[in-house]
Amino acid sequence: MSSIAASTKLNKTVRQQYLDLPQGDKVQATYIWIDGSGEGLRSKTRTLDWELKSVQDVPEWNFDGSSTFQSEGSNSDMFLIPVAIFRDPFRKDPNKLVLCEVLNYDKEPADTNLRDRCRRIMSLVEKERPWFGMEQEYTLLGTDRHPFGWPRNGFPGPQGPYYCGVGADKAYGRDVVEAHYRGCLYAGVKICGSNAEVMPAQWEFQVGPCEGISMGDHLWMARYILHRVCEDFGLIASFDPKPIPGNWNGAGCHTNFSTQDMRQEGGLKVIEAAIERLAKRHHYHIRAYDPKGGLDNARRLTGHHETSNIDHFSACVSNRGASIRIPRAVGEEQKGYFEDRRPSANCDPYVVTEALVRTCLLKEEGEESGEFNQ
């Protein structure tokens, strides 16, 4: 850990004098992809000789999949297929961040490419105009994995004053949050808010509304920017659903969902019908809502600390202890959206949004995902 800590203490002022140098007519494009763990992000950069106005202007690239848990060394070439482009808040214009899908050596989607299947499912429901908003909770840790700002021996005061708190004794790490927020705005990520969470050193940012596949694209890019910002500050952003055992809140990724019919007059009936379908597939969704098939979430979804019990489905107006929460305003206006509070902080947004569409719009039943004709 000492080598990690040392790298964060390099002089950022010295670095900036080089970043301020003109780069001529060249463009730096940083290719970003999800690795074989389903949670980690990887990136590498190349120089291009032309301006990147859209994702179609970005060429395909490749990488060694044996070093990212995505292939064996004997056949390790994998391809990066650009799918979304953002401004680069670290190098600034005209440089770009490029989110990529991963294909195998034979140009078929890699097993870890969960975006491909989500995109195909979303294409079936475009007329429904599915909107998502995801609330990403995370915990700031030091390079020793100790929660940032917590006493070296012992614990901070009990939960209560930290949620949306103000003051050095309540808000741990706001510099990171402000830098991340502005970086996302610069990049073009649809970040729509942030706040301090219930556990000290825990924060949340919200992304959305995003339609269809763009939800996963924007959340993954927001996560990448957060990791890069934390790297500069010498901290680690943890998406562990229960980073501290005991009487402390866990970290989720509450997912708000609506369709065009839900947002129109009388939409509450459509919402209630969707919730009935969700009730019948509770265990299917629990498996989809964290990368380890529910094992990570089992530490968080205990029925305490503003969570539902992982073994039981519940839905209620304005109840943060329910699996599905209907906001009070939605109940009063009889239209709007619902919030699925079950996804874990380390969930894959492509898997979560796909599961909601499968159950609520394609009316899939049972414990397994099926195939749909496009």
Side-chain angles (χ1 to χ4, degrees):
M1 281 299 178
S2 60
S3 61
I4 298 174
S7 69
T8 67
K9 292 180 171 61
L10 293 174
N11 192 313
K12 304 301 187 285
T13 303
V14 172
R15 179 186 68 177
Q16 192 59 42
Q17 76 179 33
Y18 295 101
L19 290 180
D20 289 340
L21 292 172
Q23 60 187 74
D25 57 357
K26 306 297 184 182
V27 173
Q28 289 175 285
T30 299
Y31 289 59
I32 299 161
W33 70 99
I34 303 158
D35 70 17
S37 71
E39 299 180 57
L41 286 161
R42 306 291 180 114
S43 68
K44 63 176 186 170
T45 304
R46 70 188 299 184
T47 303
L48 298 175
D49 297 327
W50 57 89
E51 184 180 358
L52 301 176
K53 295 182 178 180
S54 71
V55 72
Q56 285 73 33
D57 296 328
V58 188
E60 296 179 9
W61 207 11
N62 56 69
F63 70 98
D64 170 16
S66 67
S67 298
T68 62
F69 316 115
Q70 288 169 295
S71 71
E72 295 184 2
S74 59
N75 197 2
S76 65
D77 282 351
M78 305 195 80
F79 294 94
L80 295 171
I81 310 301
V83 294
I85 190 170
F86 298 84
R87 296 169 73 193
D88 187 337
F90 307 104
R91 297 188 176 108
K92 301 182 183 177
D93 291 336
N95 305 300
K96 302 295 183 184
L97 303 179
V98 183
L99 187 67
C100 300
E101 283 192 21
V102 176
L103 302 186
N104 290 323
Y105 68 94
D106 57 3
K107 290 298 185 82
E108 290 296 316
D111 292 341
T112 55
N113 181 355
L114 303 178
R115 184 186 188 277
D116 177 73
R117 189 176 71 174
C118 179
R119 177 183 49 77
R120 286 186 277 117
I121 290 296
M122 292 297 172
S123 71
L124 301 176
V125 296
E126 287 179 352
K127 292 181 180 179
E128 303 270 6
R129 299 204 63 197
W131 287 4
F132 303 93
M134 300 186 79
E135 305 170 22
Q136 177 69 70
E137 294 178 338
Y138 62 94
T139 308
L140 292 176
L141 307 176
T143 52
D144 59 356
R145 312 296 300 191
H146 190 74
F148 178 69
W150 284 37
R152 189 54 48 189
N153 297 304
F155 297 91
Q159 297 182 154
Y162 308 106
Y163 173 70
C164 297
V166 177
D169 59 338
K170 301 178 184 67
Y172 296 21
R174 192 184 298 276
D175 287 345
V176 170
V177 175
E178 294 297 334
H180 173 252
Y181 202 145
R182 191 61 60 88
C184 285
L185 289 175
Y186 183 92
V189 170
K190 290 185 178 179
I191 187 170
C192 58
S194 73
N195 59 269
E197 265 304 330
V198 175
M199 190 180 83
Q202 192 178 87
W203 295 82
E204 173 183 299
F205 64 87
Q206 302 91 34
V207 175
C210 296
E211 189 166 329
I213 194 66
S214 66
M215 181 68 253
D217 293 347
H218 281 253
L219 189 65
W220 274 114
M221 188 55 66
R223 287 175 173 177
Y224 175 81
I225 293 172
L226 178 62
H227 286 308
R228 282 290 312 276
V229 168
C230 284
E231 188 179 314
D232 281 344
F233 281 101
L235 296 178
I236 295 169
S238 170
F239 297 118
D240 190 310
K242 188 72 174 180
I244 307 298
N247 195 27
W248 302 97
N249 274 34
C253 194
H254 305 153
T255 301
N256 301 282
F257 175 58
S258 71
T259 64
Q260 190 163 262
D261 288 343
M262 292 178 189
R263 297 187 290 270
Q264 294 176 347
E265 294 299 321
L268 183 59
K269 290 184 179 179
V270 183
I271 291 173
E272 290 172 341
I275 292 174
E276 286 183 19
R277 287 192 283 274
L278 288 168
K280 296 174 183 178
R281 296 192 92 194
H282 177 61
H283 296 295
Y284 166 82
H285 282 266
I286 288 297
R287 291 202 312 275
Y289 284 179
D290 82 51
K292 297 182 177 64
L295 294 177
D296 271 352
N297 238 347
R299 294 183 284 120
R300 167 180 161 258
L301 294 179
T302 61
H304 304 289
H305 306 108
E306 301 183 34
T307 69
S308 57
N309 188 289
I310 195 169
D311 296 319
H312 305 289
F313 180 88
S314 58
C316 191
V317 173
S318 196
N319 182 358
R320 284 178 163 76
S323 308
I324 304 293
R325 182 180 75 93
I326 299 176
R328 188 165 300 282
V330 173
E332 293 172 352
E333 297 174 11
Q334 300 287 293
K335 63 180 179 179
Y337 67 97
F338 66 83
E339 176 191 35
D340 193 331
R341 296 180 60 81
R342 295 172 293 176
S344 66
N346 62 341
C347 70
D348 187 317
Y350 297 129
V351 179
V352 172
T353 56
E354 177 191 331
L356 284 167
V357 165
R358 282 177 174 274
T359 300
C360 299
L361 300 186
L362 298 177
K363 301 180 181 179
E364 187 176 70
E365 298 178 346
E367 293 301 311
E368 302 298 330
S369 297
E371 294 294 330
F372 291 90
N373 295 323
Q374 291 181 272

